[in-house]
Amino acid sequence: MPILQLMHVILGAGQIGPLVAEQLVARGKQVRIGRSTARKPGEVSLDVRDADAVARLADGAEVVYHCVNPLYTEWSELLVPIARGIVEGTKRAGARLVALDNLYMYGDTAHMNEDSPLTPRSKKGELRVRAAEVMLEAGAAVGRAADFFGPSPLAAIFGARFYERVLAGKRAEVFGDPDMPHSYSYTPDVAAGLVELGLNDVRGVWMLPVLPAEPTRQVIGRFARAMNRDIGVMSVPNWMLRAMGVFSPLIREVAEMTYQWRQPFVVDDSKFRARFGVAPTPWDDAIAASVAWGVRTYGQRLAA
Ligand SMILES: NC(=O)c1ccc[n+]([C@@H]2O[C@H](COP(=O)([O-])OP(=O)(O)OC[C@H]3O[C@@H](n4cnc5c(N)ncnc54)[C@H](OP(=O)(O)O)[C@@H]3O)[C@@H](O)[C@H]2O)c1
């Protein structure tokens, strides 16, 4: 096999793209990374809406991984054109496409698997249905993940704000009802799932490896034990988010999605486990690694 056929191209270098690259390199693959603004050696700047630019970057590649995400406030304008640019560029390069997706298209469905009906109840959920259609029609493998946690400042509930508040002795902020079961995805498991889809010639929708669902309050209890401190829980009411949303378009977009924490939100990854034999990292290990990173990052910042 020519060496170039081993090339894997990762689009997006946010929470997941670099982890996908790291895991592919560990498995002996060559990688190229494309993002809006290259920041490290080996990265390439491009706008993935430009199919020609995607095709040039993916020239000779076997698989392209779509881990791109526009700003929440720009989804209406960018989400579908991004999917189209990536699909078209990947096709021209003759590569397979593996795309990372979320669960907004399932609306009120409490227990989600690959066969769940598409019933979005938000503007962003409708956009995700359209973007996924573009990719699935082109034969992509689409991996769906729940809310992220891991060594990442951007994780919705367990990101920078969580560590800054908790390390300062404040309560953790959550949305909706903290006693509803909720699925969370550990970011290295999301990357591992995408790599599995890339290394196997599969198509269609796959629920990526996800931790067994637990109430968010219980997950915060896990963080508390790992950090050896009490962590109170405070649910930010939706009326407050909506009021803040008058001034902040970003918070307005967050408020649209908090229904996911007001009802059970449980993902079933059994199809993925059965096909690939890959299970998520155990809760204790995932929490320990996340906390080690969070305390190292935000503990130092507080001490400075
Ligand atoms: N956050 C969650 O909890 C969660 C849960 C499930 C699924 N997901 C999904 O996972 C996917 C990845 O999200 P993420 O949170 O990992 O993303 P992220 O951290 O916000 O990173 C987004 C990346 O996309 C790049 N990008 C944005 N627009 C681009 C464009 N037009 N051309 C080229 N690159 C562009 C950015 O480049 P620069 O860095 O150079 O600006 C950045 O590296 C999304 O589909 C998201 O909806 C997220």
Side-chain angles (χ1 to χ4, degrees):
M1 186 187 283
I3 189 109
L4 277 177
Q5 288 301 311
L6 297 175
M7 179 67 71
H8 290 236
V9 166
I10 295 109
L11 301 174
Q15 298 191 74
I16 303 297
L19 299 176
V20 172
E22 219 173 82
Q23 294 186 22
L24 284 166
V25 168
R27 292 174 76 155
K29 304 295 176 191
Q30 294 185 37
V31 299
R32 284 186 203 136
I33 299 179
R35 65 192 297 182
S36 292
T37 312
R39 296 200 173 94
K40 292 186 185 155
E43 293 181 348
V44 172
S45 298
L46 83 166
D47 183 338
V48 295
R49 286 176 295 170
D50 177 355
D52 289 335
V54 173
R56 273 194 303 277
L57 186 66
D59 186 28
E62 189 183 354
V63 188
V64 171
Y65 300 82
H66 169 4
C67 303
V68 166
N69 200 19
L71 292 177
Y72 240 15
T73 47
E74 296 177 347
W75 277 27
S76 310
E77 190 195 332
L78 298 181
L79 203 73
V80 175
I82 280 176
R84 288 211 183 98
I86 292 176
V87 160
E88 183 54 32
T90 303
K91 191 166 112 196
R92 281 186 213 163
R96 274 189 295 118
L97 178 60
V98 172
L100 175 55
D101 204 352
N102 67 11
L103 302 165
Y104 291 6
M105 66 292 297
Y106 297 120
D108 285 327
T109 306
H111 294 266
M112 294 163 272
N113 66 21
E114 291 80 357
D115 299 323
S116 297
L118 303 179
T119 52
R121 57 165 280 183
S122 63
K123 180 179 82 248
K124 288 191 287 299
E126 283 161 16
L127 288 166
R128 294 307 298 218
V129 171
R130 285 173 49 207
E133 253 168 31
V134 170
M135 298 187 287
L136 289 166
E137 274 168 15
V142 171
R144 291 191 167 144
D147 295 294
F148 296 162
F149 77 99
S152 164
L154 298 175
I157 302 266
F158 301 111
R161 192 169 166 88
F162 170 79
Y163 288 106
E164 282 168 354
R165 286 184 60 86
V166 162
L167 290 170
K170 297 182 184 163
R171 287 181 292 170
E173 291 170 330
V174 300
F175 304 125
D177 181 349
D179 295 311
M180 285 290 165
H182 196 96
S183 287
Y184 290 97
S185 297
Y186 181 48
T187 48
D189 292 339
V190 174
L194 294 176
V195 166
E196 219 51 61
L197 296 180
L199 297 181
N200 293 278
D201 193 0
V202 292
R203 294 168 170 228
V205 174
W206 296 84
M207 294 299 184
L208 298 174
V210 64
L211 270 310
E214 288 187 355
T216 302
R217 191 190 299 282
Q218 206 168 307
V219 179
I220 290 172
R222 290 180 179 277
F223 276 92
R225 286 192 293 283
M227 294 168 88
N228 198 22
R229 58 172 62 222
D230 291 333
I231 303 179
V233 177
M234 175 191 155
S235 180
V236 183
N238 228 42
W239 63 259
M240 191 186 283
L241 288 174
R242 279 200 300 271
M244 290 160 76
V246 171
F247 304 102
S248 162
L250 178 63
I251 293 181
R252 206 154 52 231
E253 296 299 336
V254 171
E256 189 192 38
M257 303 318 300
T258 52
Y259 73 86
Q260 295 177 132
W261 282 270
R262 289 197 293 271
Q263 57 200 32
F265 182 85
V266 179
V267 180
D268 172 5
D269 64 357
S270 51
K271 176 182 160 193
F272 192 98
R273 290 183 195 225
R275 172 68 172 79
F276 301 110
V278 174
T281 305
W283 263 119
D284 285 350
D285 297 349
I287 293 281
S290 306
V291 162
W293 171 85
V295 170
R296 201 165 58 240
T297 308
Y298 299 100
Q300 277 171 7
R301 194 176 292 177
L302 286 175

